[in-house]
Amino acid sequence: QVQVQQWGAGLLKPSETLSLTCAVYGGSSSDFYWSWVRQPPGKGLEWIGEANNRERPYYNSSLKSRVTMSVDMSRTHVTLKVRSVIAADTAVYYCVRLRGRSLWGQGTLVTVSS
Amino acid sequence: DTQVTQSPSSLSASVGDRVTITCQASQDISNYLNWYQQKSGKAPNLVIYGASNLETGVPSRFGGSGSGTDFTLTISSLQPEDIGTYYCQQYASLPFTFGQGTKLEIK
């Protein structure tokens, strides 16, 4: 059974870099497709990007200039970095397998405030 | 990019009512569509995957149908615990996209 755990800093100042990590336990390294999704307070779900073990990560065009996702060599960890954060980046961030029978991490609230 | 348009944005119904939420894709996505229920303060919970497959543990009063561009989530007999916000999501092509959400309340 696949399990997902995520962690990272929850409070940032404007212009800092958001960094979150997602660990996937029990999954197949050959079928590794993980997305990050965020949800600002009181709003809907926004897809940030997907990393997999075959191609370069694919990012939402609205965030592409500030986002980097990477997969470790063991294909068990996915990291998300968002540079130069602003207040509008305040959201709950989820690590998610969105293809097919989706699986969600528990979510991490990231607050950007001076 | 494939857009998904969900309707209605909010819905109020009585216990026992049949409830329908629709999702329309801007292009053919075959059956690559998921439906989620989200309760306040919680992560979304998968209800239907692949347009019509009921996720394990989800009550059988939930059903999904559709293919191509038009999809429907149906609750055959609304129960109080079904309140929350429902989202559709397409995974036919990148970038993946979500519907705007439907807030379901009990009348």
Side-chain angles (χ1 to χ4, degrees):
Chain A
Q1 183 177 356
V2 181
Q3 295 187 344
V4 183
Q5 187 174 3
Q6 58 180 99
W7 63 89
L11 181 61
L12 297 173
K13 291 181 168 53
S15 80
E16 292 184 334
T17 296
L18 178 158
S19 181
L20 298 174
T21 300
C22 172
V24 180
Y25 304 104
S28 167
S29 62
S30 64
D31 185 20
F32 192 90
Y33 295 87
W34 290 88
S35 287
W36 288 94
V37 171
R38 70 180 184 179
Q39 186 171 37
K43 297 188 178 181
L45 300 163
E46 180 183 28
W47 180 79
I48 298 170
E50 182 188 65
N52 60 59
N53 60 337
R54 301 177 187 179
E55 303 163 340
R56 289 187 299 176
Y58 194 104
Y59 304 128
N60 187 322
S61 59
S62 67
L63 294 164
K64 187 175 182 178
S65 64
R66 297 192 293 130
V67 169
T68 302
M69 295 175 60
S70 60
V71 179
D72 72 335
M73 293 292 288
S74 66
R75 300 171 185 166
T76 58
H77 292 72
V78 184
T79 61
L80 170 70
K81 293 188 185 298
V82 181
R83 296 176 293 279
S84 303
V85 296
I86 59 176
D89 293 316
T90 294
V92 177
Y93 287 75
Y94 295 99
C95 176
V96 196
R97 185 184 66 199
L98 281 176
R99 295 174 184 259
R101 204 168 181 180
S102 72
L103 183 64
W104 292 65
Q106 79 275 21
T108 302
L109 174 61
V110 176
T111 301
V112 180
S113 174
S114 56
Chain B
D1 298 0
T2 301
Q3 306 304 317
V4 286
T5 303
Q6 190 175 336
S7 62
S9 57
S10 64
L11 179 57
S12 182
S14 300
V15 173
D17 281 356
R18 182 180 182 87
V19 169
T20 298
I21 300 169
T22 64
C23 186
Q24 185 171 55
S26 60
Q27 58 188 293
D28 189 339
I29 60 171
S30 185
N31 65 338
Y32 295 109
L33 186 100
N34 288 338
W35 288 99
Y36 302 95
Q37 176 196 61
Q38 187 177 34
K39 293 185 177 289
S40 181
K42 302 292 187 181
N45 187 49
L46 181 66
V47 176
I48 298 288
Y49 64 96
S52 60
N53 300 290
L54 189 67
E55 172 65 337
T56 302
V58 174
S60 59
R61 61 181 178 273
F62 287 88
S65 63
S67 183
T69 61
D70 295 300
F71 302 86
T72 301
L73 174 69
T74 301
I75 306 174
S76 60
S77 178
L78 185 66
Q79 299 302 304
E81 60 266 31
D82 298 337
I83 62 168
T85 301
Y86 291 79
Y87 295 93
C88 59
Q89 171 247 320
Q90 69 82 18
Y91 57 97
S93 62
L94 294 167
F96 296 151
T97 45
F98 291 89
Q100 300 89 333
T102 296
K103 187 172 184 179
L104 177 59
E105 299 175 329
I106 299 291
K107 194 181 294 183

